[in-house]
Amino acid sequence: MKSQSTEDNIPELLKGRIIHYVNSVIKEKNLHSAPMNGTTMVVEALPLIRVLVFHGEKTIKISRLYVDEKDSHQNIGKSLIKGIYEIAKEFGYHLYLSSMLEEFYEQMLVRSAKIIEPFDTLEVTDETDLSPHF
């Protein structure tokens, strides 16, 4: 069981892990994006990704994921989702994807993401296939 002081630090620990992970992907892939930073509730690396963290609900929502045309087909989006999912899972949070383009929404359904709100919000679960070769 976690101590109360550890529980109180979870929002900052979670945010720090997400920021560190996304910044490492930006650097590794040499992406043209600002480093990720943010407040308690919103962390973003413009124009790459926007992540909303709802601590009371124990949910993380990716509400924007944009990969430039020149960087597409490198599995950057799926890598980001997978990495953030692993962090969310470690902290006992759910990961949702929202406000997706129709094509991406359909692709994630084929990959077994769970429908939360039809045509808007999907949940990434252990069953969601985020492998690069699907």
Side-chain angles (χ1 to χ4, degrees), residues 20-40:
H20 177 75
Y21 174 72
V22 173
N23 285 338
S24 69
V25 171
I26 290 169
K27 185 176 180 180
E28 175 190 328
K29 301 287 188 181
N30 196 27
L31 300 175
H32 299 287
S33 188
M36 178 170 254
N37 59 39
T39 64
T40 302

Side-chain angles (χ1 to χ4, degrees), residues 97 108-115 122-125 127-128:
L97 308 173
M108 292 308 296
L109 284 179
V110 170
R111 290 173 170 271
S112 301
K114 179 180 169 186
I115 297 173
L122 299 174
E123 181 177 4
V124 176
T125 67
E127 288 73 36
T128 306

Side-chain angles (χ1 to χ4, degrees), residues 12 30 32 35 41 50 65 67-68 83 86 89 92 94 99 101 105 108 118 130 133:
E12 288 304 312
N30 196 27
H32 299 287
M41 298 295 287
R50 184 171 196 216
L65 181 58
V67 178
D68 192 283
E86 293 299 325
K89 193 169 133 178
H94 295 275
S99 306
L101 295 173
Y105 176 89
M108 292 308 296
L130 295 170
H133 306 291

Side-chain angles (χ1 to χ4, degrees), residues 10 52 56 71 78 97 100 109 126:
I10 285 178
L52 304 162
D71 296 320
K78 287 185 284 297
L97 308 173
M100 296 162 275
L109 284 179
D126 286 340

Side-chain angles (χ1 to χ4, degrees), residues 10-18 53 55 60 87-88 91 93:
I10 285 178
E12 288 304 312
L13 292 171
L14 176 62
K15 182 179 80 168
R17 288 284 305 279
I18 292 170
V53 181
H55 300 294
I60 298 171
I87 294 167
F91 282 84
Y93 281 57

